[in-house]
Amino acid sequence: MALAIFGWIAFGCPAHAASRLTDYLPKAEPGELVPGANRLGSPQGDPAIVPAYRDDRLLGFVYLNSDFANATGYSGKPIQLLVGINPKGVLTGLKLVEHKEPIVLVGIPEKRILEAVNKLIGTDMDPVVRGVVPAPQVDIVSGATVTVLVMGDSIVRSATKLIKSGRLGAPANAPAGAAPQAAKAIDPGKSAIRDWQSLVGDGSVRRLTLSLADVNQAFEKSGNAAAAARPEEGEPGDTFIDLYVADVAVPTIGRSLLGNDGYDRLSARLKPGQQALVVAGAGRYSFKGAAYVRGGIFDRIELIQETNSIRFRDRDHTRLGSLEAEGAPDFPEIALFIVPAEFNFDPTEPWTLQLLVQRVVGAREKAWVTFELGYALPDVYVKREPVKPAAQPSAAQPAKMPGGAPVSTADQHGAAATPAAEDEPLWMKIWRGDIVKIGTTVLALGALTLIFFFQNQLVRRPQVYTWVRRAYLAFILVWLGWYANAQLSVVNVLTFANSLLTGFSWEYFLSAPLIFLLWCSIAAGLLFWGRGPFCGWLCPFGALQELLNNVAQAVNIPQYRLPWGLHERLWPLKYIIFLGLFGMSLYSTAFAEQLAEVEPFKTAVILKFAREWPFVIYALTLLSAGLFVERFFCRYMCPLGAALAIPGRVRMFEWLRRWPECGSPCQRCANECPVQAIHPEGHINVNECIYCMHCQELYFDDHRCPHMIQVRLKREKREALSSSSMRSGGKGPSTIITASGKPVGLPRAEAVTPPST
């Protein structure tokens, strides 16, 4: 197997496609793919197709979708389908033979996926290829939108490519065999800076504007009555979305939109022949959507060129704060997408950015329509070079990468990939665009640092400390969590570990300023205090749990403390969850991300409970448990807390004070610790401590801490003995009234012993 893989990588053997098709053919009967067929013939051509016969009569052909058009879903691996098609170009059958889609594997029945895709059976693709009718579309399956769309697109595009090749269908569809007279390439000499209006005017930046009326009419024409009955509210002329796109790997466009330094930094990131797109949008509809938060994929936009298509993932994405071109509008959403090298994207040929507009029509049902934003690179950026005969290769002729991008373009990128040391990196533009949020976060972290460094002075005033803590937690929940969406996740840990194994890049992490700042603060906090600063103070979901529990206590909801033996045995559960996720991430990061839904952070914080009902019920269940057992999820299930506890053992300082009596005989701190992080023998388990400082309140309280009670009584005795009445020698009573208004019996003051609770 290893030799076969090596041979495919090294030599790109054409026989591989045929062998892959034949490997999957035994998984389907001929009649399932081509009705009436009872046998299959030998593979033909490259990519391979297999004729299907009834006895000796040819009824159609069978092929593998991924041989003709990419079909990569959430898993990052192809979805393999056997497709049947007759000689006239009519789809006759489909068979899903292999996939690694976590959405289908976990929770979404495969039957629902197939029901949606099977609606393509019976479609005559020949008119679609000729442009007489639009391409057919599959129905969306809620919760598996991307998977279904990828499968449907792959089937349609693969059939289109097969028909265009002339191997079946009308001969007129076969492409002309004339050799091209010239090779097109991006002209590296064109790099002038231009303003926004001129870029939009000549098509360097393309625009798609949709009004509410446009979208409502599209749903009416789709024939979906339920969708048409739920029109967008507002004036018909109001903007639904104003969408712009441009290829910023082209020197003039890139330098104009990103600035010289930004373009140079981008060029340094691009591989030879690789392209990058800027997508900017305004209006009520987001081209990003929420799927990239849940599963790391942008499901509302799709890049299409000929028979290939791709949806960008979060690893391809960088958020920009603004565009540098003079006169450019302020867009609420600007994204920089790196086109994966394996997509074989040719920037000199036309391409399309397809926008998917969704509409909820039921509790779990969605309808959708698509709009296309076409792009063709203006000729001014393209140079044409004569194609020299293959028998007379010349070193001066630029080699071509897959998709037609000449190496000369990459050489130009390489020349630009050596910016001066003082050049400002691209990520700094992102930081400048988020200056208010960054400043607020820095102030919040600074305030927390002051709280920690001056904790002794603060906890001596319990009421002040209580309100300071509650106010800080409310700020973290509302501003950092619900508004800024800066909720860390175990997925961040898995991504970081994966990047160390596959190629680490600071720019990837610097592109999210708030997340980066939080991780830096956590790294420093681990050295000083362990995991407590994040888990107890900076986690929005942890803040939500604690604030809800405060309300529960205020309305007298009973609080339960698990027996120490059971509590101690439930501690390891979160470490087991984390190790399972980490091990799975080494096999499939995408699958590990789906399993990371054990964290309810996305549901409760990022999406504010606007999600499918199973996720909402799960999050509410955990929050409900926290009403009775404070921070239930943090204690027993949080894989992120477990991940932080492991390096937290290396902390350099011990800030939490203890008296010799703590644990023996006194158990007051252990009994009152909100998360039971103090062992019966008195020591604090830093792996479980959230640094709420309740034990430090008790430490200084001379009315609750037995040690401090003794100290107070002795102090009051000394004050009483040094009073004027005692110095005068008068015979006073055996019980003295102190300044605090409490009687002190002098003979028994030394006999005070600390209580056991």
Side-chain angles (χ1 to χ4, degrees):
M1 181 65 177
L3 290 176
I5 295 174
F6 175 78
W8 177 76
I9 295 174
F11 304 107
C13 179
H16 176 74
S19 64
R20 185 169 58 178
L21 172 61
T22 54
D23 287 342
Y24 290 120
L25 287 176
K27 297 186 177 184
E29 295 294 328
E32 291 182 84
L33 301 171
V34 181
N38 55 18
R39 71 179 183 89
L40 299 175
S42 301
Q44 302 174 356
D46 179 33
I49 61 175
V50 173
Y53 300 95
R54 181 176 182 83
D55 299 328
D56 293 328
R57 180 188 171 198
L58 177 66
L59 298 182
F61 298 88
V62 175
Y63 66 89
L64 191 66
N65 67 316
S66 60
D67 286 342
F68 292 84
N70 63 306
T72 304
Y74 273 106
S75 64
K77 297 182 179 179
I79 303 172
Q80 307 287 9
L81 292 135
L82 290 174
V83 182
I85 189 169
N86 70 16
K88 295 183 178 180
V90 177
L91 296 174
T92 58
L94 305 169
K95 178 77 172 184
L96 178 61
V97 290
E98 183 179 278
H99 69 86
K100 298 292 191 299
E101 291 296 273
I103 292 178
V104 182
L105 294 170
V106 183
I108 304 296
E110 190 172 289
K111 180 182 178 181
R112 290 184 58 199
I113 305 294
L114 295 178
E115 286 176 352
V117 178
N118 283 340
K119 291 188 177 181
L120 295 176
I121 296 175
T123 302
D124 187 351
M125 293 300 301
D126 189 69
V128 176
V129 174
R130 290 186 283 111
V132 177
V133 298
Q137 298 175 340
V138 295
D139 293 335
I140 282 182
V141 175
S142 180
T145 301
V146 174
T147 299
V148 173
L149 291 178
V150 165
M151 293 170 67
D153 287 350
S154 177
I155 294 166
V156 171
R157 299 186 192 286
S158 60
T160 301
K161 186 174 182 179
L162 181 58
I163 294 173
K164 283 185 175 181
S165 70
R167 300 168 69 182
L168 76 162
N173 290 325
Q181 299 301 313
K184 294 190 294 184
I186 295 174
D187 188 350
K190 303 291 180 62
S191 59
I193 305 296
R194 303 173 60 194
D195 62 24
W196 177 258
Q197 291 300 329
S198 63
L199 291 171
V200 174
D202 73 350
S204 299
V205 176
R206 296 298 173 101
R207 180 185 188 187
L208 172 66
T209 302
L210 297 175
S211 65
L212 301 189
D214 295 330
V215 176
N216 290 335
Q217 289 172 7
F219 276 107
E220 291 172 2
K221 293 178 180 178
S222 70
N224 190 319
R230 292 172 171 82
E232 296 287 337
E233 297 181 357
E235 294 297 325
D238 289 351
T239 300
F240 181 76
I241 188 170
D242 193 10
L243 189 66
Y244 296 81
V245 66
D247 185 345
V248 290
V250 178
T252 290
I253 303 174
R255 293 188 185 279
S256 300
L257 296 180
L258 305 178
N260 284 323
D261 50 356
Y263 173 76
D264 290 341
R265 295 298 299 174
L266 172 64
S267 299
R269 295 172 56 189
L270 298 178
K271 297 178 181 178
Q274 195 173 20
Q275 302 297 305
L277 308 181
V278 157
V279 183
R284 67 169 62 183
Y285 191 70
S286 167
F287 69 82
K288 290 184 177 181
Y292 80 100
V293 178
R294 299 194 301 268
I297 193 167
F298 293 83
D299 64 344
R300 293 187 176 183
I301 55 174
E302 181 179 13
L303 175 61
I304 302 170
Q305 189 172 57
E306 295 184 345
T307 60
N308 289 326
S309 65
I310 190 172
R311 284 181 172 84
F312 297 107
R313 302 186 67 87
D314 52 3
R315 60 174 173 262
D316 310 317
H317 167 254
T318 301
R319 187 169 64 87
L320 301 181
S322 62
L323 298 176
E324 295 296 314
E326 181 181 353
D330 292 328
F331 292 102
E333 287 185 331
I334 307 176
L336 173 67
F337 294 108
I338 304 296
V339 180
E342 61 270 18
F343 180 63
N344 295 336
F345 182 72
D346 185 351
T348 65
E349 295 296 329
W351 50 271
T352 299
L353 188 73
Q354 188 177 78
L355 175 69
L356 177 78
V357 177
Q358 299 177 345
R359 177 172 290 180
V360 177
V361 297
R364 301 184 63 184
E365 303 256 338
K366 292 180 181 179
W368 59 280
V369 292
T370 58
F371 299 89
E372 294 189 347
L373 172 53
Y375 190 98
L377 190 65
D379 288 340
V380 67
Y381 304 122
V382 178
K383 65 177 181 179
R384 289 171 170 79
E385 299 176 347
V387 176
K388 297 184 179 181
Q392 300 176 359
S394 171
Q397 180 180 350
K400 297 203 76 177
M401 298 296 294
V407 175
S408 58
T409 304
D411 292 340
Q412 174 64 21
H413 287 176
T418 56
E422 68 271 17
D423 282 352
E424 182 184 60
L426 181 62
W427 59 266
M428 293 189 69
K429 295 183 181 293
I430 302 173
W431 284 59
R432 282 205 309 270
D434 273 347
I435 192 67
V436 175
K437 289 184 180 179
I438 292 171
T440 305
T441 303
V442 170
L443 289 176
L445 294 175
L448 183 61
T449 303
L450 292 176
I451 290 173
F452 275 36
F453 274 103
F454 295 97
Q455 64 183 43
N456 292 341
Q457 289 77 7
L458 189 59
V459 296
R460 290 175 187 269
R461 300 167 178 80
Q463 289 190 347
V464 174
Y465 171 75
T466 297
W467 285 107
V468 167
R469 177 166 173 78
R470 289 176 179 173
Y472 195 89
L473 292 179
F475 169 81
I476 291 298
L477 172 62
V478 176
W479 188 87
L480 192 66
W482 286 339
Y483 174 72
N485 287 341
Q487 168 72 66
L488 300 186
S489 166
V490 71
V491 174
N492 300 123
V493 178
L494 303 180
T495 303
F496 181 80
N498 186 264
S499 71
L500 293 177
L501 298 175
T502 59
F504 183 82
S505 172
W506 276 113
E507 291 194 5
Y508 175 82
F509 298 97
L510 285 167
S511 62
L514 301 190
I515 300 298
F516 183 81
L517 287 173
L518 287 175
W519 277 116
C520 288
S521 66
I522 289 172
L526 289 174
L527 293 176
F528 282 81
W529 300 283
R531 75 165 185 145
F534 173 75
C535 294
W537 293 82
L538 293 173
C539 177
F541 187 77
L544 177 60
Q545 289 183 94
E546 183 164 328
L547 293 173
L548 287 176
N549 185 265
N550 291 159
V551 175
Q553 294 185 45
V555 298
N556 297 321
I557 292 179
Q559 301 295 299
Y560 297 97
R561 296 178 66 85
L562 274 62
W564 178 259
L566 176 61
H567 172 67
E568 192 175 30
R569 283 160 179 77
L570 289 177
W571 269 348
L573 180 60
K574 59 178 172 287
Y575 296 95
I576 295 172
I577 294 173
F578 169 68
L579 292 176
L581 291 173
F582 181 78
M584 182 55 66
S585 71
L586 300 178
Y587 169 72
S588 170
T589 304
F591 192 25
E593 290 176 1
Q594 296 301 314
L595 296 180
E597 289 289 354
V598 68
E599 295 177 328
F601 303 163
K602 293 177 184 177
T603 302
V605 179
I606 303 297
L607 301 177
K608 307 175 189 66
F609 298 99
R611 207 176 183 190
E612 294 82 359
W613 65 266
F615 294 100
V616 175
I617 290 177
Y618 173 68
L620 292 177
T621 300
L622 293 177
L623 291 173
S624 299
L627 298 177
F628 302 93
V629 179
E630 186 167 348
R631 285 184 177 254
F632 175 85
F633 178 79
C634 297
R635 294 199 212 185
Y636 307 122
M637 295 181 63
C638 182
L640 178 59
L644 297 179
I646 296 172
R649 298 290 296 179
V650 303
R651 76 192 192 286
M652 301 171 61
F653 306 97
E654 185 57 68
W655 298 76
L656 300 178
R657 299 186 178 188
R658 311 295 287 150
W659 295 117
E661 298 92 334
C662 292
S664 178
C666 182
Q667 296 289 315
R668 182 151 198 168
C669 288
N671 290 335
E672 292 192 22
C673 177
V675 293
Q676 294 179 260
I678 302 177
H679 285 253
E681 58 269 26
H683 81 273
I684 299 174
N685 187 337
V686 70
N687 286 351
E688 307 302 322
C689 176
I690 62 170
Y691 224 92
C692 67
M693 301 186 198
H694 180 70
C695 60
Q696 299 306 285
E697 287 187 62
L698 296 175
Y699 180 91
F700 291 105
D701 194 323
D702 59 7
H703 286 84
R704 290 187 292 170
C705 173
H707 178 93
M708 291 303 297
I709 290 174
Q710 281 193 336
V711 172
R712 177 178 58 80
L713 292 177
K714 290 178 180 179
R715 183 182 68 250
E716 291 178 346
K717 177 182 176 181
R718 287 194 302 270
E719 292 173 353
L721 291 174
S722 63
S723 66
S724 58
S725 60
M726 295 298 293
R727 287 198 305 269
S728 65
K731 295 182 179 181
S734 59
T735 299
I736 299 175
I737 305 301
T738 67
S740 63
K742 297 185 178 182
V744 178
L746 297 182
R748 295 187 296 172
E750 301 293 341
V752 175
T753 58
S756 60
T757 60

